[in-house]
């Protein structure tokens, strides 16, 4: 039995979503078409619009529409002289939700991974070096994930910071080793920030 | 911290998908925008297209593009004189995957649920009665879910069939009580079909 082509195509397209296999995609497609057509249309528009307008912030590399993100445009945050290094835009959200950090961010969009051919320039470290050299940053907080790659990336950036006379610290207590920053609860992440130690 | 409006809007729109909450939607949005923009565009198009062209088959009520679905257009299936009653289009797929059934379908798009105000006409039983009265159907196989509502719906349709001199049987062995037909494995569902008994 062949599914109607438009439905088969929708099921195939839904599998682009993380964690969505054939069965889930089928369930989603039918539920959208049976009960949630307005929601499906809105999702189609939201996807097309986001793909069209969302790019990278030219200062911190996070996903944003426009040239510079809201945080990088905030004079108080620029004056703070503190830069928090994270792996992804989701990590920015996680840190912001602690309501404890008032500095800027730099979003690597990944981590060093020589085996996958991902070197310093692929995660924007050339741009970061330029920012260090330009001055105005007194401290970096290394909030990459506590994984082998995240730790290696943090070490690399700490060296880069030191050679530019920028103080570097790594977030510490409470972040479970092997876990992902994005899924840590706010309190634990708050403790990790206050318990940071210089490296 | 405010997310970029296009990203916030995409996250909100993704929550229309079944089983997708705030965290999953956020993860999906970032992953699409970071790594899968082509897939996101294709999904947008597939959604918009499906919403535009997919309607209901005028014979069996399943989701399809065009006036009549592929199965209802098949002369061999029409000649079979057998009609399988299921609750949803996903159930049609599940039954088709047994490769054992060669008749037609009638898709209720739900089940009787008086407390929710869902009566016989809301699940197309007026249309089913007209089909019974028109002749050509010798047997109905009641493959509604083995839940309280599914059983009640099957009983109602069995009565309707009998009053039109149409033989009615209910699928039986192997379908776990309280479960959903869509998630039963093919073998179990095959057994349920061969073990059906007249009601
Ligand atoms: Zn920025
Ligand atoms: Zn049909």
């Amino acid at each position: 039995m062949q599914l109607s082509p438009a439905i088969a195509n929708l099921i195939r397209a839904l599998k682009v979503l993380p964690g969505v296999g054939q069965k889930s995609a089928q369930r989603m497609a039918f539920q959208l078409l049976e009960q949630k057509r307005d929601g499906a249309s809105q999702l189609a528009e939201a996807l097309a619009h986001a793909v069209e307008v969302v790019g990278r912030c030219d200062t911190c590399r996070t996903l944003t529409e426009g040239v510079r993100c809201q945080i990088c445009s905030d004079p108080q945050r620029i004056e703070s002289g503190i830069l928090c290094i994270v792996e992804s835009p989701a990590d920015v959200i996680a840190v912001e939700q602690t309501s404890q950090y008032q500095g800027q961010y730099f979003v690597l969009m990944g981590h060093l991974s020589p085996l996958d051919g991902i070197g310093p320039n692929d995660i924007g470290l050339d741009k970061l070096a330029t920012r260090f050299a330009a001055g105005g940053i007194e401290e970096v907080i290394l909030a990459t994930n506590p994984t082998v790659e995240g730790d290696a990336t943090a070490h690399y950036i700490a060296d880069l910071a030191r050679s530019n006379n920028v103080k570097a610290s790594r977030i510490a207590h409470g972040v479970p080793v092997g876990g992902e920053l994005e899924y840590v609860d706010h309190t634990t992440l708050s403790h990790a920030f206050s318990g940071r130690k210089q490296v």
Side-chain angles (χ1 to χ4, degrees), chain A residues 53-58 61-70:
Chain A
V53 304
V54 173
R56 298 275 181 87
C57 171
D58 79 347
R61 292 169 47 94
T62 200
L63 293 169
T64 192
E65 46 199 298
V67 175
R68 188 161 301 181
C69 78
Q70 196 188 19

Side-chain angles (χ1 to χ4, degrees), chain A residues 45-192:
Chain A
E45 281 165 35
L47 279 164
H49 180 65
V51 167
E52 189 190 332
V53 304
V54 173
R56 298 275 181 87
C57 171
D58 79 347
T59 304
C60 75
R61 292 169 47 94
T62 200
L63 293 169
T64 192
E65 46 199 298
V67 175
R68 188 161 301 181
C69 78
Q70 196 188 19
I71 291 179
C72 288
S73 311
D74 180 340
Q76 289 195 321
R77 289 189 182 250
I78 295 168
E79 278 168 30
S80 74
I82 310 181
L83 193 62
C84 177
I85 316 282
V86 292
E87 295 190 20
S88 77
D91 296 336
V92 173
I93 294 178
V95 174
E96 284 296 295
Q97 283 174 345
T98 68
S99 304
Q100 217 192 44
Y101 177 71
Q102 299 297 326
Q104 292 184 283
Y105 292 90
F106 190 82
V107 183
L108 303 173
M109 292 288 190
H111 45 236
L112 290 177
S113 185
L115 291 178
D116 302 315
I118 298 173
N121 291 3
D122 299 310
I123 57 170
L125 298 191
D126 47 346
K127 188 180 193 100
L128 184 62
T130 309
R131 276 186 79 173
F132 284 159
I137 296 166
E138 291 155 26
E139 181 184 357
V140 286
I141 299 178
L142 300 161
T144 50
N145 286 324
T147 57
V148 174
E149 296 88 351
D151 284 337
T153 307
H155 269 105
Y156 188 99
I157 298 173
D159 287 343
L160 187 65
R162 266 192 298 262
S163 69
N164 284 276
N165 295 315
V166 172
K167 195 167 74 173
S169 58
R170 179 90 168 102
I171 60 167
H173 314 304
V175 180
V177 172
E180 291 192 317
L181 207 75
E182 176 180 355
Y183 293 103
V184 175
D185 65 275
H186 310 169
T187 316
T188 308
L189 203 53
S190 285
H191 283 124

